[in-house]
Amino acid sequence: MRSQSTDDYLKALYKLETEEKPVSTTALARLMKVTAASATGMIQRLARDKLVAYRRYYGVRLSPEGKRIALRVIRNHRIIELFLAEELGVSWDKVHQEAEAWEHVVSTEVVEKMADRLGNPKRGQRGQLIPERDGAMPEQRDHVLADAAIGALLRVTEVEDDDAGVLQHLVSIGLGPDSRLEITERRQYDNLLVIRVGGKTEILGPSLAQRIRVARLPVVRRSKEKVV
Ligand SMILES: [Zn+2]
């Protein structure tokens, strides 16, 4: 059986590969909050198990098998979070910690039963895309809020943050998956975004605006649809 830390390293590599390929040992060590030496030790083990390809001074890449495992663990995590929240009523700020532990030990059979019960969801609790049953990752088509146009009607698709404090703040201002909003101003001097959400004006800092993903609402509106 694979260890929990193997799974966690593969997940971290999958995440980093969306930004740079190959991944540097330094970036991996930073994300895993370990020294470069221990990250290198782990990478060498993963390379022996053929879960990554590694060349010193060049970086590390997931092998097809490493990627398959990473996507399976990510699917487990996101399905478990939804299941805990929706079927068991566990509060949304607690489900992440639970899922971090369960994702490694749950069987595929049980996770797929959870997915069936949930109606085979495509997105997780915070709107994250869920890898499909066969291991394919759907294409990300939305954008980062920080880059969105002023005046466009937007829908939140994902909040890329697991921090309970951040999530509580967003809930308190009415921002979560599926919320509608509009950027009214992008302040050049301090990089803050002024937005309208739920009839109120709110201000978002630049780092938060980087971690919220949005899609533009279609311009053509059906007559019955209400505008924000
Ligand atoms: Zn989580």
Side-chain angles (χ1 to χ4, degrees), residues 103-173:
E103 65 185 21
H104 310 287
V105 291
V106 73
S107 68
T108 300
E109 188 191 347
V110 167
V111 158
E112 295 312 332
K113 283 196 156 69
M114 289 177 177
D116 287 340
R117 176 65 62 92
L118 292 163
N120 293 306
K122 302 277 178 247
R123 286 184 179 264
Q125 265 257 110
R126 291 179 288 102
Q128 322 95 300
L129 290 168
I130 299 178
E132 286 161 16
R133 220 175 268 247
D134 65 3
M137 188 57 146
E139 196 189 334
Q140 190 116 42
R141 292 168 187 276
D142 47 15
H143 305 280
V144 175
L145 176 61
D147 303 333
I150 292 175
L153 278 183
L154 306 168
R155 177 176 64 85
V156 175
T157 51
E158 178 180 353
V159 177
E160 290 181 331
D161 207 310
D162 274 329
D163 184 84
V166 171
L167 294 174
Q168 272 155 7
H169 170 67
L170 290 176
V171 167
S172 76
I173 64 171

Side-chain angles (χ1 to χ4, degrees), residues 77 81 96 126 162:
H77 184 101
E81 282 188 337
H96 176 72
R126 291 179 288 102
D162 274 329

Side-chain angles (χ1 to χ4, degrees), residues 19-33:
E19 290 148 28
E20 54 161 357
K21 256 185 195 177
V23 173
S24 71
T25 315
T26 328
L28 183 62
R30 202 182 308 128
L31 183 62
M32 296 301 293
K33 300 190 174 74

